[in-house]
């Protein structure tokens, strides 16, 4: 049975039948229908503070019938809507039928996490991915109630970066380690045989951690999502490496966070410590796969010839291209060495069972760092989907490309 975690509160749901039902507020004639109210449990666990309809435990009304609907004990109204039994957040109909991996994204302050996540959410929704994987990807519950807030956040962020061409101010700190994640629905064909349903739906829950959250030990340990994560994307900012600063001659505005923030090795060590407290630690290694992505790679374009594998080599479409992935990994590893980042590699190989380097550029061209503006040529993402494809391939959710 696939491991199930609520994509909103990260708590474990052992089986689908454990899910609550959510009242739809439908009048029955006998009693007045329930009205949306603040749900304190949901607010505590997810930070969601809007009024919602109540949820209730599922009790089978008729053992002979498939357990797909229930009557609200308070108002008697009928419902088929499911919700998390821990945090009471409404869940999509298909939730629990297939794997729904949690992707935690971590990185020091100013690494480019919010920009990357915004661009990734947009790129995954484009026709290119749709035709390559015969899959549709979209923010969860588009147009459905209850998910409005985060769907709106994704759309507004995409609009801000792609249309208004503006970047973000620092992401707010998680209150008690809790903040709404971005949940994307990946609906594709089953690649397993003997499955009756033709389509499978995976929910990818992304959590954008503000860099500051990882600089105080006590807060790091509270970040329980890190331990619930099935995959990790560790975003590293090459600008933070001293050799890179010498090489690139970046404007002071591009390095503001470097002076204020922690060096990548510190952040990495904190993540490792947090993971060691949970199930991902087998006594010798951290078992959760980590995609280590170097952000802002566009800044190196003038220093890497066009024939350099990092610029010239393209992945073969149709799945995860392992061969190209290994080449990029090796190239990044040797660059990391040149940049004086050996301790990062030593730390990763000493603690993690499965990690791979990626070179990504969310913006594809250098922004106006000082004024938080996208390059006038617009957003031209490069390789942003590769870390996720590698992780999904590891989880058996994406096939291998024939290369
Ligand atoms: N050259 C280049 N710079 C980038 C790119 N993405 C982000 N940046 C720069 O990095 C800055 C920070 O990006 P954010 O996405 O806000 O960083 P963050 O990791 O979310 O930062 P916090 O929320 O403070 O933790 C941006 O204002 C840009 O200057 C990129 O793809 N290329
Ligand atoms: Mg941010
Ligand atoms: Zn009700
Ligand atoms: Zn939940």
């Amino acid at each position: 049975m696939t491991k199930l975690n609520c994509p909103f509160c990260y708590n474990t749901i052992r089986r689908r039948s454990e899910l609550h039902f959510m009242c739809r507020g439908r009048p029955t004639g006998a009693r007045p229908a329930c009205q949306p109210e603040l749900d304190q449990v949901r607010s505590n666990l997810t930070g969601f503070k809007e009024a919602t309809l109540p949820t209730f435990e599922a009790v089978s009304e008729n053992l002979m019938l498939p357990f797909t609907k229930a009557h609200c004990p308070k108002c008697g109204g009928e419902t088929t809507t499911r919700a998390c039994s821990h945090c009471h957040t409404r869940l999509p109909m298909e939730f629990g039928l297939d794997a729904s991996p949690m992707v935690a994204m971590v990185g020091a302050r100013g690494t480019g996490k919010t920009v990357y996540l915004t661009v990734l959410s947009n790129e995954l929704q484009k026709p290119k991915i749709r035709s390559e994987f015969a899959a549709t990807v979209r923010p969860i519950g588009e147009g459905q109630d209850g998910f409005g807030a985060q769907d709106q956040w994704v759309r507004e962020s995409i609009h801000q970066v792609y249309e208004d061409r503006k970047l973000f101010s620092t992401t707010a700190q998680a209150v008690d380690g809790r903040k709404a994640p971005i949940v994307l629905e990946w609906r594709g064909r089953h690649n397993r045989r003997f499955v009756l349903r033709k389509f499978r739906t995976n929910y990818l829950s992304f959590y954008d951690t503000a860099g500051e959250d990882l600089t105080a030990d006590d807060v790091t340990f509270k970040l329980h999502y890190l331990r619930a994560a099935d995959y990790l994307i560790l975003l590293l900012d090459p600008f933070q490496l001293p050799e890179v600063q010498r090489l690139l001659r970046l404007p002071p505005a591009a390095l503001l966070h470097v002076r204020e923030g922690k060096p990548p090795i510190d952040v990495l060590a904190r993540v490792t410590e947090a993971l060691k407290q949970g199930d991902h630690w087998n006594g010798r290694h951290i078992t959760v796969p980590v995609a280590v992505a170097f952000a802002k790679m566009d800044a190196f374009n003038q220093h890497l010839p066009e024939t350099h594998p990092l610029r010239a080599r393209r992945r073969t479409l149709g799945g995860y291209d392992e061969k190209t992935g290994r080449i990029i990994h090796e190239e990044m590893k040797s660059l990391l060495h040149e940049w004086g980042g050996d301790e990062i590699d030593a730390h990763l190989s000493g603690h993690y069972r499965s990690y791979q380097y990626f070179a990504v550029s969310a913006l594809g061209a250098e922004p106006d760092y000082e004024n938080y503006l996208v390059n006038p040529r617009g957003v031209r993402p490069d390789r942003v989907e590769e870390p996720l494809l590698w992780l999904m391939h590891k989880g058996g959710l994406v096939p291998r490309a024939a290369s």
Side-chain angles (χ1 to χ4, degrees):
M1 141 104 206
T2 24
K3 170 176 165 271
L4 265 189
N5 272 311
C6 167
F8 296 96
C9 70
Y10 321 117
N11 285 309
T12 305
I13 297 162
R14 276 168 312 190
R15 58 191 92 76
R16 211 174 115 84
S17 58
E18 257 181 34
L19 294 175
H20 275 192
F21 279 98
M22 179 181 262
C23 175
R24 302 303 292 146
R26 281 199 198 113
T28 53
R31 275 176 278 172
C34 291
Q35 296 295 320
E37 274 173 38
L38 175 79
D39 183 327
Q40 201 55 53
V41 175
R42 181 166 172 185
S43 168
N44 290 349
L45 287 177
T46 67
F48 185 87
K49 296 207 166 31
E50 286 166 39
T52 56
L53 283 157
T55 70
F56 54 91
E57 220 173 299
V59 186
S60 186
E61 290 170 4
N62 183 341
L63 288 173
M64 301 304 287
L65 287 177
F67 198 25
T68 52
K69 59 180 179 187
H71 289 91
C72 172
K74 214 165 130 204
C75 71
E78 191 179 278
T79 176
T80 54
T81 303
R82 307 309 292 261
C84 170
S85 45
H86 302 279
C87 72
H88 304 171
T89 303
R90 178 184 166 179
L91 293 168
M93 273 312 177
E94 287 98 349
F95 180 80
L97 295 174
D98 301 294
S100 47
M102 311 258 298
V103 186
M105 199 173 60
V106 286
R109 186 173 178 178
T111 319
K113 298 177 299 297
T114 306
V115 171
Y116 175 70
L117 193 49
T118 302
V119 168
L120 180 67
S121 315
N122 194 41
E123 295 305 308
L124 292 176
Q125 292 182 62
K126 287 192 170 166
K128 225 171 69 188
I129 291 284
R130 196 176 310 148
S131 57
E132 185 182 351
F133 295 100
T136 44
V137 185
R138 49 181 207 164
I140 200 172
E142 211 171 27
Q144 289 176 42
D145 65 281
F147 306 120
Q150 57 141 349
D151 174 35
Q152 195 184 340
W153 185 90
V154 179
R155 270 192 278 174
E156 282 174 6
S157 302
I158 290 172
H159 189 90
Q160 179 184 329
V161 176
Y162 284 78
E163 308 299 328
D164 305 340
R165 301 195 173 176
K166 287 193 191 121
L167 301 173
F168 305 95
S169 50
T170 289
T171 302
Q173 202 156 345
V175 179
D176 252 353
R178 288 180 221 114
K179 193 173 53 132
I182 291 170
V183 184
L184 297 178
E185 189 179 278
W186 178 298
R187 194 171 146 80
R189 281 188 179 279
H190 257 294
N191 42 18
R192 270 180 298 157
R193 292 166 74 202
F194 313 118
V195 178
L196 286 176
R197 285 171 301 121
K198 230 169 143 181
F199 293 97
R200 62 171 169 80
T201 312
N202 301 113
Y203 297 94
L204 302 166
S205 175
F206 292 91
Y207 189 93
D208 174 5
T209 337
E212 294 95 319
D213 284 8
L214 294 169
T215 54
D217 285 300
D218 59 337
V219 186
T220 307
F221 287 111
K222 276 188 214 149
L223 290 176
H224 109 110
Y225 80 93
L226 255 192
R227 288 174 226 150
D230 300 287
Y231 307 127
L232 219 65
I233 295 178
L234 175 67
L235 210 58
L236 294 182
D237 183 355
F239 297 1
Q240 290 187 313
L241 299 166
E243 290 303 322
V244 171
Q245 288 170 32
R246 257 191 289 276
L247 175 75
L248 292 184
R249 294 172 196 283
L250 292 155
L255 297 170
L256 272 184
H257 61 281
V258 173
R259 261 170 247 125
E260 293 161 14
K262 292 273 175 194
I265 186 71
D266 277 30
V267 174
L268 179 55
R270 279 170 208 280
V271 171
T272 305
E273 279 314 306
L275 290 172
K276 275 188 178 178
Q277 310 293 315
D279 295 343
H280 293 313
W281 175 247
N282 68 5
R284 287 182 56 216
H285 284 114
I286 284 157
T287 53
V288 60
V290 188
V292 183
F294 287 89
K296 312 184 185 180
M297 286 303 291
D298 51 86
F300 295 90
N301 279 354
Q302 46 186 330
H303 297 273
L304 298 173
E306 267 177 51
T307 51
H308 191 283
L310 282 182
R311 295 187 64 192
R313 178 89 195 190
R314 296 285 123 192
R315 70 179 180 92
T316 306
L317 301 185
Y320 175 67
D321 178 351
E322 210 148 74
K323 202 164 149 200
T324 302
R326 287 316 291 180
I327 292 172
I328 304 292
H329 171 81
E330 292 303 330
E331 291 294 339
M332 277 318 305
K333 192 171 160 172
S334 75
L335 276 182
L336 187 60
H337 179 69
E338 273 175 43
W339 293 341
D342 296 277
E343 29 171 23
I344 296 176
D345 193 56
H347 185 98
L348 286 166
S349 65
H351 293 86
Y352 291 81
R353 193 166 69 184
S354 174
Y355 70 96
Q356 185 159 313
Y357 293 124
F358 295 85
V360 304
S361 167
L363 298 174
E366 286 198 89
D368 174 346
Y369 296 105
E370 196 168 350
N371 298 304
Y372 293 86
L373 294 175
V374 170
N375 190 292
R377 286 179 294 166
V379 182
R380 309 149 96 198
D382 196 23
R383 301 189 186 279
V384 289
E385 75 286 14
E386 290 177 18
L388 182 65
L389 293 183
W390 177 69
L391 294 169
M392 288 182 74
H393 173 64
K394 288 215 144 258
L397 303 177
V398 150
R400 179 185 299 190
S403 73

